[in-house]
Amino acid sequence: MNITELERVARDIRLRDLQAVFEAGAGHIGGEMSVIDILAALYFRVLKVWPDQPKHPDRDRFVLSKGHTACALYVTLAKRGFIPEDEISTFLKPHSRLNGHPNCNKVPGVETNTGPLGHGLPVAVGMAKAAKLSGAGYHTYVVTGDGEMQEGSNWEAIMAAAQFKLDNLTLIIDHNRFQQGASLADTNDLAPLRPKLEAFDWEVSEIDGNDMNQVVPALEHRTSRPHCIVAHTNKGQGISFMQDRVDWHHKVPSKEQYDIAIAELLEAI
């Protein structure tokens, strides 16, 4: 897909994600809105995947380490053909396989269970190392939250990736500056992230993670070292009253707010 097509897909994912959270009465809508441009670019342009063969050995691997934004991943997987689109209406309902965090045993296209923060990147490092050991050609991508980067396990994984020269690994940090209950600056301010990753011998790109013109080339970039993309995003991207508001980490819109959000997203393109 070209940039304009990807922007439309991202808009459609936002609309369906908003509807799913509103109907379920729960979710993590702020962080979902911030990461959707990255998910759209990955699944509709960058990732080598086959929805009819979700376990194809040559597929690229994607890990959503910030697993609480699972709804955005489910909508993306549905639009890409991994699961039926009408199944999104079961999000968080009893017996639904679309739980609040992704489950690789239930949902095609989910590579590993995530939810406890700080686990996804270490698992992704293992996937990338396995490819090196077996001679496989797949690339591994992982998305973490910026608040999640306070977990020490991530920095152990970052050290290991550099040591093993995992040039088949791309880390995307969704740097929306907010986490549950507070801003990153008021919790454990890791910013600026770029020099920290560079100190561990990673190549780092710094982009506007809500600008598809910057997202696509960053994801397609290849280097001789592990690659980190510091994606500056906005919590609640695309919805004026949600944007950069910490209370929208997992708040649910009222009917009036829902209608306003729908209208704003429809005007986006």
Side-chain angles (χ1 to χ4, degrees):
M1 285 190 176
N2 62 35
I3 298 298
T4 300
E5 291 169 331
L6 290 171
E7 288 172 341
R8 291 189 180 277
V9 167
R11 189 272 310 271
D12 291 345
I13 294 171
R14 283 192 170 91
L15 284 164
R16 189 63 186 94
D17 182 279
L18 171 66
Q19 180 186 358
V21 170
F22 175 71
E23 292 176 349
H28 291 82
I29 196 165
E32 288 160 10
M33 294 295 141
S34 69
V35 79
I36 281 171
D37 297 296
I38 294 163
L39 293 178
L42 280 167
Y43 277 92
F44 288 86
R45 173 150 171 163
V46 178
L47 289 177
K48 183 176 62 178
V49 289
W50 297 270
D52 59 337
Q53 300 179 71
K55 294 295 185 182
H56 193 292
D58 295 331
R59 73 192 183 281
D60 288 334
R61 271 59 166 177
F62 172 71
V63 176
L64 181 68
S65 190
K66 47 177 284 179
H68 53 283
T69 59
C71 188
L73 177 60
Y74 298 149
V75 175
T76 304
L77 289 173
K79 289 192 175 296
R80 188 65 175 82
F82 284 88
I83 60 176
E85 288 202 52
D86 59 6
E87 188 174 356
I88 300 300
S89 62
T90 73
F91 176 58
L92 295 182
K93 289 184 178 179
H95 309 298
S96 172
R97 59 181 177 171
L98 305 185
N99 299 324
H101 294 88
N103 188 326
C104 66
N105 297 308
K106 295 181 177 181
V107 184
V110 174
E111 292 291 346
T112 187
N113 296 13
T114 54
L117 298 176
H119 290 192
L121 179 55
V123 170
V125 167
M127 292 174 173
K129 178 61 173 173
K132 289 290 187 182
L133 291 171
S134 65
Y138 65 81
H139 198 93
T140 299
Y141 300 82
V142 55
V143 168
T144 68
D146 50 4
E148 179 182 4
M149 294 304 293
Q150 296 163 6
E151 296 279 0
S153 52
N154 283 321
W155 298 95
E156 295 176 37
I158 286 166
M159 284 190 287
Q163 173 68 26
F164 297 139
K165 303 185 188 314
L166 299 182
D167 58 352
N168 58 348
L169 175 67
T170 299
L171 162 65
I172 307 105
I173 301 176
D174 183 15
H175 194 9
N176 63 28
R177 309 178 308 285
F178 291 94
Q179 59 195 94
Q180 181 171 317
S183 68
L184 186 70
D186 291 336
T187 309
N188 184 1
D189 195 1
L190 294 171
L193 286 159
R194 180 173 196 154
K196 295 176 176 63
L197 271 293
E198 288 177 336
F200 284 89
D201 201 27
W202 280 55
E203 182 163 333
V204 182
S205 302
E206 201 156 4
I207 65 166
D208 179 344
N210 296 133
D211 180 351
M212 203 64 77
N213 287 291
Q214 297 185 39
V215 170
V216 169
L219 290 172
E220 292 180 340
H221 179 67
R222 291 293 177 266
T223 175
S224 59
R225 294 178 288 165
H227 181 212
C228 174
I229 301 169
V230 179
H232 294 271
T233 62
N234 298 306
K235 197 139 190 156
Q237 170 70 18
I239 303 173
S240 59
F241 59 85
M242 291 185 190
Q243 192 160 310
D244 297 336
R245 292 281 303 276
V246 68
D247 51 327
W248 283 100
H249 181 79
H250 50 51
K251 191 175 176 180
V252 177
S254 65
K255 179 60 168 67
E256 181 182 2
Q257 290 172 323
Y258 173 73
D259 290 340
I260 292 170
I262 289 288
E264 290 185 353
L265 289 173
L266 286 173
E267 292 174 359
I269 299 178

PDB file of all heavy atoms in Angstrom, residues 8 23 49 53 62 64 76 90 104 134-135 154 173 182 186 188 190 195 211 228 232 241 244 257 264:
ATOM      1  N   ARG A   8      -5.548   5.754   5.324  1.00  0.00           N
ATOM      2  CA  ARG A   8      -6.976   5.404   5.366  1.00  0.00           C
ATOM      3  C   ARG A   8      -7.198   4.139   6.192  1.00  0.00           C
ATOM      4  O   ARG A   8      -8.174   4.040   6.945  1.00  0.00           O
ATOM      5  CB  ARG A   8      -7.518   5.222   3.947  1.00  0.00           C
ATOM      6  CG  ARG A   8      -7.598   6.520   3.167  1.00  0.00           C
ATOM      7  CD  ARG A   8      -8.344   6.358   1.861  1.00  0.00           C
ATOM      8  NE  ARG A   8      -8.406   7.618   1.140  1.00  0.00           N
ATOM      9  CZ  ARG A   8      -9.299   8.574   1.366  1.00  0.00           C
ATOM     10  NH1 ARG A   8     -10.195   8.395   2.327  1.00  0.00           N
ATOM     11  NH2 ARG A   8      -9.294   9.695   0.679  1.00  0.00           N
ATOM     12  N   GLU A  23     -18.433  -0.164  22.952  1.00  0.00           N
ATOM     13  CA  GLU A  23     -19.432  -1.220  23.141  1.00  0.00           C
ATOM     14  C   GLU A  23     -19.063  -2.162  24.280  1.00  0.00           C
ATOM     15  O   GLU A  23     -19.943  -2.659  24.997  1.00  0.00           O
ATOM     16  CB  GLU A  23     -19.614  -1.996  21.840  1.00  0.00           C
ATOM     17  CG  GLU A  23     -20.263  -1.167  20.739  1.00  0.00           C
ATOM     18  CD  GLU A  23     -20.365  -1.896  19.417  1.00  0.00           C
ATOM     19  OE1 GLU A  23     -19.733  -2.983  19.283  1.00  0.00           O
ATOM     20  OE2 GLU A  23     -21.056  -1.391  18.511  1.00  0.00           O
ATOM     21  N   VAL A  49       3.779 -11.659   5.929  1.00  0.00           N
ATOM     22  CA  VAL A  49       2.884 -12.581   6.643  1.00  0.00           C
ATOM     23  C   VAL A  49       1.836 -13.115   5.671  1.00  0.00           C
ATOM     24  O   VAL A  49       1.540 -12.499   4.648  1.00  0.00           O
ATOM     25  CB  VAL A  49       2.184 -11.891   7.843  1.00  0.00           C
ATOM     26  CG1 VAL A  49       3.176 -11.608   8.967  1.00  0.00           C
ATOM     27  CG2 VAL A  49       1.479 -10.600   7.426  1.00  0.00           C
ATOM     28  N   GLN A  53      -2.004 -18.658   6.466  1.00  0.00           N
ATOM     29  CA  GLN A  53      -0.986 -19.544   7.049  1.00  0.00           C
ATOM     30  C   GLN A  53      -0.274 -18.789   8.183  1.00  0.00           C
ATOM     31  O   GLN A  53       0.884 -18.409   8.050  1.00  0.00           O
ATOM     32  CB  GLN A  53       0.031 -19.966   5.993  1.00  0.00           C
ATOM     33  CG  GLN A  53      -0.542 -20.714   4.807  1.00  0.00           C
ATOM     34  CD  GLN A  53       0.537 -21.068   3.801  1.00  0.00           C
ATOM     35  OE1 GLN A  53       1.395 -21.928   4.043  1.00  0.00           O
ATOM     36  NE2 GLN A  53       0.512 -20.405   2.655  1.00  0.00           N
ATOM     37  N   PHE A  62       5.978 -10.444  14.829  1.00  0.00           N
ATOM     38  CA  PHE A  62       5.635  -9.176  15.481  1.00  0.00           C
ATOM     39  C   PHE A  62       5.148  -9.448  16.888  1.00  0.00           C
ATOM     40  O   PHE A  62       4.271 -10.287  17.102  1.00  0.00           O
ATOM     41  CB  PHE A  62       4.557  -8.412  14.714  1.00  0.00           C
ATOM     42  CG  PHE A  62       4.076  -7.213  15.488  1.00  0.00           C
ATOM     43  CD1 PHE A  62       4.903  -6.107  15.653  1.00  0.00           C
ATOM     44  CD2 PHE A  62       2.828  -7.210  16.091  1.00  0.00           C
ATOM     45  CE1 PHE A  62       4.482  -5.018  16.410  1.00  0.00           C
ATOM     46  CE2 PHE A  62       2.397  -6.121  16.840  1.00  0.00           C
ATOM     47  CZ  PHE A  62       3.227  -5.022  16.996  1.00  0.00           C
ATOM     48  N   LEU A  64       3.559  -7.478  20.215  1.00  0.00           N
ATOM     49  CA  LEU A  64       3.000  -6.283  20.843  1.00  0.00           C
ATOM     50  C   LEU A  64       3.269  -6.397  22.340  1.00  0.00           C
ATOM     51  O   LEU A  64       2.479  -6.965  23.085  1.00  0.00           O
ATOM     52  CB  LEU A  64       1.500  -6.175  20.575  1.00  0.00           C
ATOM     53  CG  LEU A  64       0.823  -4.930  21.164  1.00  0.00           C
ATOM     54  CD1 LEU A  64       1.292  -3.656  20.461  1.00  0.00           C
ATOM     55  CD2 LEU A  64      -0.703  -5.049  21.078  1.00  0.00           C
ATOM     56  N   THR A  76      -6.598  -4.720  13.707  1.00  0.00           N
ATOM     57  CA  THR A  76      -5.628  -4.789  12.610  1.00  0.00           C
ATOM     58  C   THR A  76      -5.574  -6.192  12.017  1.00  0.00           C
ATOM     59  O   THR A  76      -5.583  -6.364  10.787  1.00  0.00           O
ATOM     60  CB  THR A  76      -4.238  -4.367  13.102  1.00  0.00           C
ATOM     61  OG1 THR A  76      -4.310  -3.061  13.689  1.00  0.00           O
ATOM     62  CG2 THR A  76      -3.230  -4.347  11.966  1.00  0.00           C
ATOM     63  N   THR A  90     -17.087  -9.192  19.695  1.00  0.00           N
ATOM     64  CA  THR A  90     -17.047 -10.041  20.894  1.00  0.00           C
ATOM     65  C   THR A  90     -15.969  -9.598  21.888  1.00  0.00           C
ATOM     66  O   THR A  90     -15.805 -10.233  22.935  1.00  0.00           O
ATOM     67  CB  THR A  90     -16.780 -11.511  20.526  1.00  0.00           C
ATOM     68  OG1 THR A  90     -15.399 -11.673  20.116  1.00  0.00           O
ATOM     69  CG2 THR A  90     -17.696 -11.979  19.410  1.00  0.00           C
ATOM     70  N   CYS A 104      -1.608 -16.070  22.247  1.00  0.00           N
ATOM     71  CA  CYS A 104      -1.157 -16.757  21.030  1.00  0.00           C
ATOM     72  C   CYS A 104      -1.789 -18.138  20.872  1.00  0.00           C
ATOM     73  O   CYS A 104      -1.764 -18.709  19.781  1.00  0.00           O
ATOM     74  CB  CYS A 104       0.368 -16.869  21.022  1.00  0.00           C
ATOM     75  SG  CYS A 104       1.056 -17.927  22.311  1.00  0.00           S
ATOM     76  N   SER A 134      19.309 -20.668  13.234  1.00  0.00           N
ATOM     77  CA  SER A 134      18.754 -21.616  12.263  1.00  0.00           C
ATOM     78  C   SER A 134      18.960 -21.195  10.817  1.00  0.00           C
ATOM     79  O   SER A 134      18.660 -21.961   9.897  1.00  0.00           O
ATOM     80  CB  SER A 134      17.247 -21.784  12.522  1.00  0.00           C
ATOM     81  OG  SER A 134      16.563 -20.569  12.276  1.00  0.00           O
ATOM     82  N   GLY A 135      19.448 -19.964  10.605  1.00  0.00           N
ATOM     83  CA  GLY A 135      19.625 -19.472   9.249  1.00  0.00           C
ATOM     84  C   GLY A 135      18.340 -19.000   8.602  1.00  0.00           C
ATOM     85  O   GLY A 135      18.283 -18.829   7.378  1.00  0.00           O
ATOM     86  N   ASN A 154      13.931  -5.130  29.949  1.00  0.00           N
ATOM     87  CA  ASN A 154      14.132  -4.577  28.610  1.00  0.00           C
ATOM     88  C   ASN A 154      15.594  -4.230  28.363  1.00  0.00           C
ATOM     89  O   ASN A 154      16.124  -4.459  27.272  1.00  0.00           O
ATOM     90  CB  ASN A 154      13.265  -3.325  28.415  1.00  0.00           C
ATOM     91  CG  ASN A 154      11.814  -3.665  28.162  1.00  0.00           C
ATOM     92  OD1 ASN A 154      11.501  -4.626  27.471  1.00  0.00           O
ATOM     93  ND2 ASN A 154      10.909  -2.877  28.726  1.00  0.00           N
ATOM     94  N   ILE A 173       9.572   1.970  20.043  1.00  0.00           N
ATOM     95  CA  ILE A 173       9.094   2.466  21.330  1.00  0.00           C
ATOM     96  C   ILE A 173       7.991   3.483  21.069  1.00  0.00           C
ATOM     97  O   ILE A 173       8.228   4.519  20.443  1.00  0.00           O
ATOM     98  CB  ILE A 173      10.227   3.119  22.143  1.00  0.00           C
ATOM     99  CG1 ILE A 173      11.355   2.111  22.383  1.00  0.00           C
ATOM    100  CG2 ILE A 173       9.683   3.639  23.485  1.00  0.00           C
ATOM    101  CD1 ILE A 173      12.567   2.709  23.094  1.00  0.00           C
ATOM    102  N   ALA A 182      -0.084   8.651  35.268  1.00  0.00           N
ATOM    103  CA  ALA A 182       0.836   9.800  35.314  1.00  0.00           C
ATOM    104  C   ALA A 182       1.600   9.914  34.002  1.00  0.00           C
ATOM    105  O   ALA A 182       1.603   8.998  33.182  1.00  0.00           O
ATOM    106  CB  ALA A 182       1.816   9.653  36.477  1.00  0.00           C
ATOM    107  N   ASP A 186       6.823  12.394  35.198  1.00  0.00           N
ATOM    108  CA  ASP A 186       6.526  12.420  36.628  1.00  0.00           C
ATOM    109  C   ASP A 186       6.701  11.060  37.291  1.00  0.00           C
ATOM    110  O   ASP A 186       6.522  10.938  38.503  1.00  0.00           O
ATOM    111  CB  ASP A 186       5.088  12.905  36.857  1.00  0.00           C
ATOM    112  CG  ASP A 186       4.914  14.368  36.517  1.00  0.00           C
ATOM    113  OD1 ASP A 186       5.917  15.105  36.553  1.00  0.00           O
ATOM    114  OD2 ASP A 186       3.769  14.769  36.201  1.00  0.00           O
ATOM    115  N   ASN A 188       9.233   8.064  36.048  1.00  0.00           N
ATOM    116  CA  ASN A 188      10.653   7.733  35.999  1.00  0.00           C
ATOM    117  C   ASN A 188      11.118   8.159  34.616  1.00  0.00           C
ATOM    118  O   ASN A 188      11.064   7.393  33.670  1.00  0.00           O
ATOM    119  CB  ASN A 188      10.881   6.236  36.228  1.00  0.00           C
ATOM    120  CG  ASN A 188      12.346   5.875  36.273  1.00  0.00           C
ATOM    121  OD1 ASN A 188      13.220   6.723  36.147  1.00  0.00           O
ATOM    122  ND2 ASN A 188      12.619   4.589  36.419  1.00  0.00           N
ATOM    123  N   LEU A 190      12.636   8.643  31.454  1.00  0.00           N
ATOM    124  CA  LEU A 190      13.693   8.007  30.669  1.00  0.00           C
ATOM    125  C   LEU A 190      14.151   8.866  29.496  1.00  0.00           C
ATOM    126  O   LEU A 190      15.150   8.564  28.860  1.00  0.00           O
ATOM    127  CB  LEU A 190      13.201   6.665  30.128  1.00  0.00           C
ATOM    128  CG  LEU A 190      12.904   5.577  31.157  1.00  0.00           C
ATOM    129  CD1 LEU A 190      12.235   4.404  30.475  1.00  0.00           C
ATOM    130  CD2 LEU A 190      14.175   5.138  31.850  1.00  0.00           C
ATOM    131  N   PRO A 195      19.855   8.617  23.099  1.00  0.00           N
ATOM    132  CA  PRO A 195      21.245   8.409  23.523  1.00  0.00           C
ATOM    133  C   PRO A 195      21.430   7.170  24.392  1.00  0.00           C
ATOM    134  O   PRO A 195      22.516   6.573  24.399  1.00  0.00           O
ATOM    135  CB  PRO A 195      21.582   9.690  24.291  1.00  0.00           C
ATOM    136  CG  PRO A 195      20.280  10.293  24.654  1.00  0.00           C
ATOM    137  CD  PRO A 195      19.338   9.912  23.562  1.00  0.00           C
ATOM    138  N   ASP A 211       2.996  10.006  11.802  1.00  0.00           N
ATOM    139  CA  ASP A 211       3.156  10.512  10.441  1.00  0.00           C
ATOM    140  C   ASP A 211       3.600   9.349   9.560  1.00  0.00           C
ATOM    141  O   ASP A 211       4.749   8.904   9.633  1.00  0.00           O
ATOM    142  CB  ASP A 211       4.190  11.638  10.410  1.00  0.00           C
ATOM    143  CG  ASP A 211       4.404  12.222   9.012  1.00  0.00           C
ATOM    144  OD1 ASP A 211       3.891  11.650   8.025  1.00  0.00           O
ATOM    145  OD2 ASP A 211       5.102  13.243   8.908  1.00  0.00           O
ATOM    146  N   CYS A 228      16.442   0.543  16.711  1.00  0.00           N
ATOM    147  CA  CYS A 228      15.374   1.056  17.561  1.00  0.00           C
ATOM    148  C   CYS A 228      14.759   2.282  16.904  1.00  0.00           C
ATOM    149  O   CYS A 228      15.472   3.179  16.452  1.00  0.00           O
ATOM    150  CB  CYS A 228      15.897   1.423  18.949  1.00  0.00           C
ATOM    151  SG  CYS A 228      14.655   2.229  20.002  1.00  0.00           S
ATOM    152  N   HIS A 232       7.760   9.181  18.384  1.00  0.00           N
ATOM    153  CA  HIS A 232       7.061  10.202  19.169  1.00  0.00           C
ATOM    154  C   HIS A 232       5.598  10.226  18.720  1.00  0.00           C
ATOM    155  O   HIS A 232       5.294  10.546  17.563  1.00  0.00           O
ATOM    156  CB  HIS A 232       7.711  11.564  18.963  1.00  0.00           C
ATOM    157  CG  HIS A 232       9.099  11.652  19.510  1.00  0.00           C
ATOM    158  ND1 HIS A 232       9.373  12.030  20.805  1.00  0.00           N
ATOM    159  CD2 HIS A 232      10.306  11.382  18.938  1.00  0.00           C
ATOM    160  CE1 HIS A 232      10.687  12.014  21.007  1.00  0.00           C
ATOM    161  NE2 HIS A 232      11.267  11.605  19.883  1.00  0.00           N
ATOM    162  N   PHE A 241     -10.317  15.544  22.453  1.00  0.00           N
ATOM    163  CA  PHE A 241     -10.475  15.573  23.908  1.00  0.00           C
ATOM    164  C   PHE A 241      -9.714  14.445  24.616  1.00  0.00           C
ATOM    165  O   PHE A 241      -9.576  14.456  25.833  1.00  0.00           O
ATOM    166  CB  PHE A 241     -11.955  15.534  24.302  1.00  0.00           C
ATOM    167  CG  PHE A 241     -12.704  14.316  23.816  1.00  0.00           C
ATOM    168  CD1 PHE A 241     -12.697  13.135  24.540  1.00  0.00           C
ATOM    169  CD2 PHE A 241     -13.416  14.365  22.634  1.00  0.00           C
ATOM    170  CE1 PHE A 241     -13.390  12.019  24.097  1.00  0.00           C
ATOM    171  CE2 PHE A 241     -14.120  13.250  22.171  1.00  0.00           C
ATOM    172  CZ  PHE A 241     -14.105  12.070  22.904  1.00  0.00           C
ATOM    173  N   ASP A 244      -3.224  13.471  24.574  1.00  0.00           N
ATOM    174  CA  ASP A 244      -2.283  13.874  25.618  1.00  0.00           C
ATOM    175  C   ASP A 244      -2.954  14.056  26.971  1.00  0.00           C
ATOM    176  O   ASP A 244      -2.529  14.882  27.789  1.00  0.00           O
ATOM    177  CB  ASP A 244      -1.534  15.160  25.213  1.00  0.00           C
ATOM    178  CG  ASP A 244      -0.680  14.952  23.972  1.00  0.00           C
ATOM    179  OD1 ASP A 244      -0.307  13.798  23.701  1.00  0.00           O
ATOM    180  OD2 ASP A 244      -0.408  15.935  23.267  1.00  0.00           O
ATOM    181  N   GLN A 257     -19.407  11.737  23.837  1.00  0.00           N
ATOM    182  CA  GLN A 257     -17.988  11.763  23.469  1.00  0.00           C
ATOM    183  C   GLN A 257     -17.709  10.825  22.295  1.00  0.00           C
ATOM    184  O   GLN A 257     -16.915  11.147  21.403  1.00  0.00           O
ATOM    185  CB  GLN A 257     -17.132  11.369  24.674  1.00  0.00           C
ATOM    186  CG  GLN A 257     -17.112  12.400  25.781  1.00  0.00           C
ATOM    187  CD  GLN A 257     -16.429  11.892  27.025  1.00  0.00           C
ATOM    188  OE1 GLN A 257     -16.554  10.707  27.380  1.00  0.00           O
ATOM    189  NE2 GLN A 257     -15.691  12.756  27.700  1.00  0.00           N
ATOM    190  N   GLU A 264     -14.740  13.341  14.389  1.00  0.00           N
ATOM    191  CA  GLU A 264     -13.385  13.843  14.186  1.00  0.00           C
ATOM    192  C   GLU A 264     -12.537  12.873  13.369  1.00  0.00           C
ATOM    193  O   GLU A 264     -11.767  13.293  12.500  1.00  0.00           O
ATOM    194  CB  GLU A 264     -12.725  14.098  15.547  1.00  0.00           C
ATOM    195  CG  GLU A 264     -13.312  15.281  16.292  1.00  0.00           C
ATOM    196  CD  GLU A 264     -12.571  15.607  17.583  1.00  0.00           C
ATOM    197  OE1 GLU A 264     -11.664  14.832  17.975  1.00  0.00           O
ATOM    198  OE2 GLU A 264     -12.922  16.620  18.210  1.00  0.00           O
TER     199      GLU A 264
END
